[in-house]
Amino acid sequence: MFTRIRRLSNRFFNNSRTVNNEPLNKVSLVVIILVDIFILINVFTGLNNISEWHLSPTQAYPCYSEWNSYKTQTTKNKDYEFLRSSLPYGSNEQKIRQRYQDAEIGHLGKVSEICLNYGESKDKLNNPQNQKILTTINQTQDKISRLEQANATIRQQYDSTLLEKIAGQSSGNSINQVRAEKAKQELTQNSEKISTLKQEIANLQNQLLTKSESVNLLSFVKDETKFNQVAKDYKDASFWYPSIQLVFQAIFLIPLILMALLVNNFSQRKGYGLIGLISWHLLVIFIIPLILKVFQFLQIGIIFQFLFDIISSLFGGLIFLISYAYILLIPLVGFGMIKFFQTVVFNHKIQAANRIQKSKCIRCAKKIRPQDSHCPHCGYYQYVECHSCHNLTYKELPYCHHCGADQNSPNLEIN
């Protein structure tokens, strides 16, 4: 296994830096590295764009997040706070339903109909009357804040005035602008104003809560059936979304990989060294992102969830065992890929047979004459002695072309 890995590694680097078995000069090497970097950046950009082609769970179910946040709140005034957050500043903003639906433009998939109805209910809430109520509440709250700030200042001066009075200091020498009696009077007046303003806010809040559009929106978000349907669909979409992304990314990469592979095989058959070098680099560049995306999928996709469920059911909270499972599985997958490319994609025996049929060198694929025992281009010796008849036969072919002996069975004698 390690010998095969070393052989593949040597072949990889040899194919990456030679043209017609001649090493690249430094300038050419720099140029091809820059080209590789440029293409790799564009490949990842294309992968990112195509992975966003299908609507994400948050785009398909845009109401789920704030709806779920409302359901989990336990504050007493959560209905008003929800309505307040549902009213944008200004009525000229884009309608929420339209904003939800615009996510479908240029994407595959549909936005949840429940979320579109949810957005429509919020749009009905956003009218000039409700905006005016919210503006009045905000202005009243600002008045309360200013009065409370004034009270804090007065209390500070009031405490200082009392200390000066206890110390027997005359009012003319006081550093404070308010006397104790006047400070107490202003505190009382401001507190009464604050109480009145808070009551006004409470009345305005009740007025907003009793509006028909507010009642309809609150009834909508309190509908457990609709919320449970959105929550279920959102979780299902979140489960399948990584798999959908991987499929689209594979659709983007596989044609490029096949095209580069075909061009590389064609250039090797024809002896086009420069085209072979470029196509080889393209092949590597297209395969690297695919491998990375597969590993990324294994961390968040269906396989991860499958392993997570099994380990959770068998070992409870020992989730770290998933890492052990990946440590065992990933090398097996890697060895399987090496075996596949070694025996199917880059099988040297199949390549040798094709080259011999076309009177080409077994190693460099250059055209040679049938009587040439050594390649005049790379010096490679084309023959090996048959163990049965001891005549010269082609290397890498399974049978001797003189006696038909199996070259893979050196102990077998032909009668």
Side-chain angles (χ1 to χ4, degrees):
M1 179 62 71
F2 291 106
T3 303
R4 288 184 178 181
I5 294 174
R6 187 169 61 253
R7 188 186 306 154
L8 280 176
S9 176
N10 293 336
R11 184 177 179 184
F12 171 81
F13 287 109
N14 183 64
N15 289 343
S16 301
R17 60 193 181 195
T18 59
V19 178
N20 297 331
N21 294 317
E22 294 182 3
L24 284 174
N25 58 65
K26 293 181 180 180
V27 175
S28 300
L29 192 59
V30 170
V31 170
I32 201 166
I33 289 174
L34 292 175
V35 171
D36 290 345
I37 293 173
F38 176 79
I39 295 175
L40 195 60
I41 291 172
N42 281 273
V43 167
F44 276 106
T45 302
L47 285 174
N48 183 64
N49 292 337
I50 199 170
S51 66
E52 296 175 352
W53 193 11
H54 195 280
L55 289 176
S56 67
T58 54
Q59 291 174 314
Y61 303 94
C63 62
Y64 172 74
S65 178
E66 56 186 47
W67 199 345
N68 185 57
S69 177
Y70 170 79
K71 301 292 288 185
T72 54
Q73 281 183 2
T74 56
T75 55
K76 181 180 178 182
N77 212 22
K78 75 172 188 176
D79 285 349
Y80 167 72
E81 292 299 331
F82 174 73
L83 293 177
R84 179 188 178 91
S85 64
S86 301
L87 279 169
Y89 293 103
S91 56
N92 295 327
E93 294 190 6
Q94 185 184 20
K95 299 294 184 182
I96 295 175
R97 178 188 173 97
Q98 187 61 44
R99 189 171 75 240
Y100 287 171
Q101 207 157 16
D102 284 348
E104 296 178 357
I105 300 175
H107 292 86
L108 296 178
K110 293 289 183 182
V111 177
S112 165
E113 191 65 31
I114 297 177
C115 284
L116 292 177
N117 294 334
Y118 170 89
E120 186 175 354
S121 298
K122 292 184 73 174
D123 289 333
K124 291 178 180 178
L125 179 69
N126 186 23
N127 57 51
Q129 294 79 16
N130 294 337
Q131 284 285 348
K132 185 177 179 181
I133 293 174
L134 183 61
T135 302
T136 306
I137 290 175
N138 291 335
Q139 292 173 349
T140 307
Q141 188 62 52
D142 290 340
K143 292 179 182 179
I144 292 175
S145 299
R146 287 194 294 270
L147 289 170
E148 288 177 342
Q149 181 62 40
N151 280 354
T153 304
I154 292 171
R155 285 192 183 94
Q156 185 179 5
Q157 294 178 349
Y158 178 68
D159 294 340
S160 300
T161 305
L162 287 178
L163 289 174
E164 291 172 352
K165 192 173 183 180
I166 293 171
Q169 184 174 329
S170 64
S171 58
N173 296 327
S174 174
I175 62 173
N176 296 309
Q177 299 176 355
V178 227
R179 293 185 178 182
E181 296 78 8
K182 187 178 180 181
K184 186 176 181 180
Q185 184 181 0
E186 288 185 4
L187 282 173
T188 303
Q189 291 175 353
N190 288 346
S191 297
E192 290 176 356
K193 289 179 182 179
I194 289 172
S195 178
T196 303
L197 292 173
K198 285 184 176 180
Q199 185 59 47
E200 290 179 9
I201 288 178
N203 294 336
L204 290 169
Q205 289 178 353
N206 289 331
Q207 184 180 347
L208 181 62
L209 287 167
T210 53
K211 290 274 189 176
S212 60
E213 54 270 18
S214 301
V215 173
N216 292 336
L217 177 59
L218 291 172
S219 299
F220 191 96
V221 296
K222 290 177 181 178
D223 190 328
E224 292 293 333
T225 303
K226 291 178 181 177
F227 174 75
N228 292 336
Q229 182 64 44
V230 169
K232 177 182 178 300
D233 293 343
Y234 178 83
K235 291 177 181 177
D236 290 343
S238 299
F239 177 79
W240 287 106
Y241 189 59
S243 305
I244 294 173
Q245 284 185 305
L246 181 64
V247 169
F248 280 113
Q249 289 166 347
I251 291 174
F252 177 81
L253 284 172
I254 288 176
L256 296 175
I257 292 173
L258 293 176
M259 192 181 306
L261 184 61
L262 290 173
V263 172
N264 183 258
N265 290 337
F266 174 79
S267 62
Q268 285 187 351
R269 289 196 304 269
K270 296 295 184 178
Y272 301 151
L274 185 58
I275 296 176
L277 175 67
I278 294 174
S279 60
W280 170 258
H281 277 256
L282 290 176
L283 182 61
V284 173
I285 287 172
F286 297 149
I287 289 176
I288 288 174
L290 181 62
I291 295 173
L292 292 177
K293 294 301 178 180
V294 169
F295 279 117
Q296 181 182 356
F297 169 75
L298 291 175
Q299 296 295 324
I300 58 176
I302 299 175
I303 297 176
F304 175 81
Q305 189 64 41
F306 176 72
L307 292 174
F308 180 86
D309 293 339
I310 291 178
I311 291 176
S312 297
S313 60
L314 294 178
F315 302 103
L318 302 179
I319 306 302
F320 66 88
L321 293 176
I322 294 177
S323 299
Y324 281 116
Y326 277 137
I327 290 171
L328 294 175
L329 289 175
I330 297 303
L332 293 178
V333 173
F335 290 147
M337 292 176 63
I338 292 172
K339 185 69 174 177
F340 171 77
F341 282 105
Q342 180 74 7
T343 57
V344 178
V345 180
F346 302 113
N347 191 309
H348 63 283
K349 292 187 177 181
I350 296 176
Q351 288 180 343
N354 292 332
R355 290 171 181 176
I356 291 170
Q357 289 176 352
K358 297 174 182 179
S359 299
K360 293 182 178 181
C361 172
I362 295 174
R363 186 170 71 176
C364 71
K366 291 292 182 65
K367 196 78 173 177
I368 59 175
R369 296 173 300 176
Q371 64 269 24
D372 289 338
S373 57
H374 289 82
C375 174
H377 305 285
C378 66
Y380 186 72
Y381 187 57
Q382 308 290 309
Y383 300 100
V384 67
E385 183 180 327
C386 173
H387 62 83
S388 177
C389 68
H390 303 291
N391 288 314
L392 294 180
T393 187
Y394 290 110
K395 286 183 178 180
E396 306 296 346
L397 293 188
Y399 300 99
C400 174
H401 72 274
H402 291 287
C403 66
D406 187 353
Q407 299 302 300
N408 296 321
S409 301
N411 297 325
L412 181 65
E413 295 291 338
I414 303 298
N415 294 326

